[in-house]
Amino acid sequence: MKIATYNVNGINGRLPVLLRWLSETSPDIVCLQELKAPQEKFPEQAILDAGYEALWHGQKSWNGVAILSKVGPIEEVRRGLPSDPDDAQSRFLEANVAGIRIACLYLPNGNPIPGPKFEYKLAWFSSFSAHAKELISLGIPVVLAGDYNVMPEEMDVYKPERWVDDALFRPEIREAFRELKRQGWIDAIRKLYPEEKIYTFWDYFRNAYGRDAGLRIDHFLLSPQLESCLIAAGVNKNVRGWEKSSDHAPVWIELSGS
């Protein structure tokens, strides 16, 4: 089974890119972030025509997450974190798909710091971590996929010295990510590629993609039940170079026996 995560940076404006990528790579389950579309403006028919069922949690102009499946129905578990179900920002969607609990998340950016946006990021991360701890205690196969807006290590960012005061690289945020791993979650990319330079995001400015001046901020965290099933992972970096593409590239994993 192939599972992918992709921050589309506006699903309607970049729908041709999304549909082309789905057609060319054919993932079984997809987590999308930053839909930037209200609930009623999600392009459901186009996604259905591409062969996927969809569950989405939209928001006007900002945020928004979705789960797509071509391997069976999507059974919604929750939208929004349990500690803050009335959060106005659509950043979390959880469902059962093909025997796996899938959580799609879009963690806040947090800039500028200091300020309320960074405080909101810390609070959201804390709530997410508490829920992740509950999920891992269930003893079931779980995938936490999405745009975490955190570079866990220096190797995950081009010229890390330039990012020391950024909300994506602050010590508090990197420590929060490490706390998730201490709970038992497995960073799928680093499990298979512990030392390689791998990026998932390239800014639109200063020819970042052409210079490969990127960041690794899109992640898969797997529950221990899936560790032995992980057989491949990667980034569809070429998609970032397509016309009118998102500033993120799709990231994917492949699981055996699923």
Side-chain angles (χ1 to χ4, degrees), residues 162-225:
R162 296 185 178 180
W163 292 82
V164 291
D165 291 322
D166 192 277
L168 281 67
F169 201 52
R170 285 286 301 171
E172 305 96 310
I173 298 303
R174 295 168 66 192
E175 176 58 24
F177 191 88
R178 294 189 190 104
E179 173 57 30
L180 288 172
K181 294 178 69 175
R182 284 194 289 269
Q183 290 178 6
W185 297 99
I186 296 129
D187 182 342
I189 290 287
R190 286 297 171 224
K191 173 69 178 178
L192 295 181
Y193 305 103
E195 302 296 335
E196 291 192 27
K197 181 187 75 174
I198 296 174
Y199 299 143
T200 67
F201 169 94
W202 297 261
D203 206 321
Y204 289 126
F205 303 106
R206 298 178 296 279
N207 190 33
Y209 179 68
R211 295 186 297 114
D212 198 25
L215 315 172
R216 188 175 79 99
I217 58 177
D218 304 270
H219 307 294
F220 279 96
L221 293 185
L222 311 181
S223 65
Q225 291 76 18

Side-chain angles (χ1 to χ4, degrees), residues 45-46 52 59 88 101-102 106 206 225 240:
Q45 190 59 53
Y52 290 86
Q59 180 182 339
R101 180 71 59 87
I102 303 288
Y106 177 43
R206 298 178 296 279
Q225 291 76 18
R240 173 61 180 85

Side-chain angles (χ1 to χ4, degrees), residues 107-113 115-119 121 149 167-168:
L107 211 137
N109 177 286
N111 283 304
I113 59 169
K117 290 187 177 181
F118 188 61
E119 294 304 316
K121 180 174 188 169
N149 268 318
L168 281 67

